[in-house]
Amino acid sequence: MAKDDMFKIIYCILKELYECMKEGINVNKEDISYERFGIPYSYWLDIIVQMQEKGFVSGVKCRMTKGTGRIVNYDDISITFEGVEYLEENSMMKKVKEALKDIKDIAPGL
């Protein structure tokens, strides 16, 4: 999976938000910024907005401007219950995939 894969970025952002929530601290915005992932701002913004629309995060405010296009404020970003579920399902699917791979390695021909 490429470092700029949308699902990988979503997973990394949600994981960081969840860890911060469990520790009772605010997320460091640099840890979830487009610079961290080495992707264009517009691509990162699409991901953040879609995460809010899917209900994975809350506290994202996006507005249109005449000159620069979209501007996002994510000072209050936090993970939602749906975001935690996404993380858990994603982790469980990874474990199932690894288990199936192990079974196939043990019993070739399956």
Side-chain angles (χ1 to χ4, degrees), residues 2-109:
K3 72 176 180 77
D4 64 350
D5 181 80
M6 179 184 275
F7 294 109
K8 183 175 181 180
I9 294 169
I10 290 170
Y11 185 85
C12 289
I13 291 171
L14 291 176
K15 189 171 189 293
E16 183 66 30
L17 292 172
Y18 189 40
E19 291 301 318
C20 289
M21 183 179 83
K22 290 191 294 187
E23 293 177 21
I25 60 173
N26 292 326
V27 69
N28 180 347
K29 288 173 67 171
E30 291 176 4
D31 291 339
I32 61 172
S33 70
Y34 71 97
E35 292 102 341
R36 175 192 175 211
F37 299 106
I39 59 175
Y41 176 76
S42 60
Y43 179 45
W44 175 86
L45 184 57
D46 288 339
I47 293 171
I48 292 293
V49 169
Q50 289 181 35
M51 288 173 65
Q52 171 116 347
E53 289 173 357
K54 288 283 191 187
F56 296 161
V57 298
S58 62
V60 176
K61 296 173 185 81
C62 185
R63 64 182 175 91
M64 297 297 292
T65 65
K66 290 182 182 179
T68 59
R70 298 179 293 176
I71 295 178
V72 68
N73 178 316
Y74 61 108
D75 290 339
D76 298 323
I77 192 169
S78 61
I79 191 168
T80 63
F81 184 77
E82 289 80 6
V84 174
E85 280 185 324
Y86 178 87
L87 279 177
E88 292 302 314
E89 289 172 6
N90 203 318
S91 295
M92 288 194 307
M93 291 305 289
K94 188 182 285 186
K95 288 177 186 174
V96 168
K97 180 180 173 184
E98 290 300 315
L100 291 175
K101 181 180 174 216
D102 290 342
I103 290 170
K104 188 174 182 180
D105 290 342
I106 294 169

